[in-house]
Structures are given as structure tokens and as C-alpha cells.
Amino acid sequence: MKIGYKLAAEAFGPGELVRQAVLAEQAGFDFVEISDHYHPWLDLQGHSPFAWSVLGSIAAKTSRIGLATGVTCPTVRYHPAIIAQAAATLALLSEGRFVLGVGSGERLNEHVVGRGFPDTVRTRHEMLREALEIIRLLWRGGYQSFEGKHLRLEDARVFDLPAEPPLIAVAASGPESTRIAAELGDGLFATEEKPEIVQHYRDAGGTGPGYAEVPMAWAPDERTAARAALKTSRWAVTGWKVMSELPNPVNFDAATTTVREDDILEKFACGADPARYLQVAQKFVDAGFDHLVMQNAGPDPDGFIDFYRSELDGPVRRLTPKSARG
């Protein structure tokens, strides 16, 4: 079991994210994962720095902790050739500590470059397949070209390549995306504790690690934590079909006006009771995930990191799937 800390790039500026990553390394986390957004989910979150610059700074200021994007869309806002180059560079700077998390993206971040965002999931999946093929091609070395249905590459070469390419974890939520993860990725990435996601991945031949974000909100009491999560993270209860489609933070604000504290309490581990955190994490372990990302939506990141170090680190690592316990 590997445990990660989610760097909420929508809620904090770049310097603060680097500081939290250093604290996470000191607290014993195995890796940090950062969202790669252009916009925050809600305007009141107030931030969205360039994830790749933040990761480079973290690589320079840490020595052990792994780094991951959670996740990058390599099809619209970025061309996959740029992501192939960026990931290779970060792998070198971090001395092999980087994992490239990729997905088919959200309209929220991808529409900003004026190229449009594909209206159908099928097209997004086709583009993601081509993007991964291009990234893999460039990581072989030498000059490469590619002619796809959606994406092209012309005489491109990544000159600085690590001895071993970064692991690629592909975000998935259904059968087709899990097939892409199994066929073109090295691991799986998800945000829901659905056993069928992991099962589809395994059935398609996937054998790599399973990354999943576990919703949490730390504060000294449950209601304070729930109110904080409701204010900044209520978008998380809308589900992927909503999260992938809305174009701007104002739309997420409007779409989540009916979310209640009770909805947050049902999904998130809130407050300071370790048992509740283990209960929520157990759902992801039972679903088959073995790389759990602690995603704190509470108001005090330092308090959460201290809480993790003193109360959760050992117990959460000892969680085992229900099937393994008979």
C-alpha cells in the first residue's frame, strides 16, 4: 500500500503547494499528486498555478517523495509532444520519482485555448489513445512522426530522456477508459470507489497499480470540516459526467447550490475521528486500489498532515481488502 497527499492546486498558490509537499515528505507520505488545471472548480477557491512549474520546484526541494500529475489531459490544451517532453524532463529532475497521470480532460480546462472540447466521450477516448501512442513513440528516442485521426506529429524528438520512462497512470471510470489504461498505460487512476473500475482494468489485462483519491476534510470537529468542504469542494459530489462537461467555475457554482452538509458527510471523512477516515479509505481498498491519495478539503492543511502522521499513517497502510480477509 502506497499513500499519497493531494496538492489542491485550485485552493493554494504555488509557493504554498511546494511548502505542503515538503511537509508531506517529512510526514511520511509516499508521493504527492497535483491536479493540472487552468481554472479552479469554483471562483472562491481562488487559485490554479501551472502544475508543471510547481512540480519542478518540488523536485528540487525534496529528495524521497514521489511526484504525480492527477491528471493531465494531453490532447487539447497541451499537445502530447509537449507532455512527452515535460514528463521526461521532470523524471530527470526528480531522479525517477515522477508518475504521469493522464486523462481525457474536462471542458473546464481544455476549452480555454479556443480549439473546442470534443462533445462525445468516444472522440475524447480516441484522442487520448492517439496522445498516448505519441508519448510512447517519442520516449523511444529519435525523430518521430505520427498521423492519426485527430492528432499529428511531425519530425519531433525529445532529446533529454530518462533511462526508464515514467510510469503512466490513466484515469478511468468505465469499460472503454479502463481498456485504454490496460493497453496503453502502466497503471489506473480513479476518483470513485467502484470495484467494477478495477475489475474492468484487470479483465482488460491491466496489471499495474491503482491510484484513487480518498475524500477527506480535517478539522477539530466534524461540522467545521463539513462546512469547509461544502464551501470549497461541493463540486466533488456531482459525479464525473457533470465534472467533465461544465465550462467555467460559475457553472459549477450554479450546479452545486443544492448540495448539503449531509451530502458532504456521506462522501467525505470529516472531523478528527481516525475511525471515520479508515472507514472511507477501506471502501477504496475493498474496490482494489493500492495507491490511496489523501484529498483533504478541510481548512487547515498543516493540521491534517499532523493528524495523518500521528493517527493515520500506520492504520491506513494496514488496511486489506475484504476479499483477502475472507
Side-chain angles (χ1 to χ4, degrees):
M1 181 75 68
K2 299 292 185 182
I3 309 300
Y5 176 78
K6 180 64 182 275
L7 295 169
E10 305 87 357
F12 301 100
E16 172 61 16
L17 293 170
V18 174
R19 188 190 73 86
Q20 289 181 27
V22 172
L23 287 180
E25 180 174 69
Q26 295 169 354
F29 284 96
D30 298 305
F31 64 97
V32 291
E33 174 221 306
I34 187 170
S35 48
D36 185 356
H37 277 209
Y38 195 88
H39 290 147
W41 297 102
L42 301 170
D43 276 334
L44 61 83
Q45 290 180 291
H47 296 279
S48 198
F50 188 54
W52 293 89
S53 297
V54 176
L55 286 169
S57 185
I58 292 171
K61 294 191 176 185
T62 58
S63 60
R64 175 195 57 80
I65 199 163
L67 316 173
T69 50
V71 293
T72 288
C73 175
T75 61
V76 180
R77 181 168 42 114
Y78 303 121
H79 189 279
I82 304 304
I83 296 305
Q85 182 188 36
T89 298
L90 194 51
L92 289 168
L93 289 173
S94 65
E95 299 181 319
R97 291 183 282 143
F98 177 63
V99 171
L100 175 60
V102 299
S104 56
E106 306 99 5
R107 194 178 303 274
L108 173 71
N109 303 299
E110 305 310 315
H111 82 277
V112 299
V113 294
R115 294 178 54 206
F117 186 64
D119 289 327
T120 68
V121 173
R122 179 179 178 178
T123 299
R124 296 171 202 172
H125 286 162
E126 290 175 349
M127 294 178 71
L128 182 59
R129 278 186 172 276
E130 291 185 4
L132 290 171
E133 289 172 4
I134 288 172
I135 291 169
R136 295 288 193 196
L137 191 63
L138 287 167
W139 284 353
R140 293 180 193 170
Y143 286 93
Q144 304 289 351
S145 296
F146 180 92
E147 187 77 23
K149 179 179 178 182
H150 305 283
L151 300 171
R152 294 176 175 82
L153 183 74
E154 182 178 348
D155 291 337
R157 176 183 174 186
V158 176
F159 275 78
D160 292 287
L161 289 170
E164 294 291 333
L167 180 148
I168 298 178
V170 181
S173 60
E176 177 55 29
S177 51
T178 52
R179 277 194 293 272
I180 296 172
E183 294 169 12
L184 293 170
D186 306 299
L188 175 70
F189 185 97
T191 58
E192 298 175 291
E193 67 277 28
K194 295 179 178 179
E196 57 267 31
I197 296 175
V198 178
Q199 190 60 55
H200 287 317
Y201 175 67
R202 301 300 179 201
D203 289 346
T207 59
Y211 291 77
E213 295 180 345
V214 184
M216 300 174 168
W218 185 88
D221 66 275
E222 185 179 70
R223 284 295 172 181
T224 298
R227 284 194 293 270
L230 179 66
K231 182 178 179 181
T232 64
S233 303
R234 58 186 183 273
W235 49 268
V237 304
T238 60
W240 185 247
K241 289 185 177 180
V242 173
M243 291 166 63
S244 64
E245 296 297 342
L246 299 182
N248 285 303
V250 65
N251 303 110
F252 279 94
D253 191 23
T256 55
T257 55
T258 60
V259 178
R260 307 162 300 161
E261 275 187 39
D262 286 347
D263 298 319
I264 297 294
L265 288 168
E266 182 179 349
K267 183 177 181 67
F268 286 70
C270 294
D273 180 4
R276 174 58 179 158
Y277 285 78
L278 295 176
Q279 181 185 43
V280 173
Q282 184 69 60
K283 297 176 182 179
F284 289 86
V285 175
D286 288 342
F289 295 99
D290 54 12
H291 284 56
L292 304 186
V293 184
M294 309 289 101
Q295 186 177 16
N296 174 45
D300 180 5
D302 292 52
F304 172 74
I305 290 173
D306 286 342
F307 173 71
Y308 172 81
R309 179 182 1 218
S310 63
E311 301 289 344
L312 290 183
D313 185 58
V316 77
R317 291 180 187 279
R318 290 192 291 270
L319 294 176
T320 56
K322 186 184 301 182
S323 58
R325 301 194 305 271

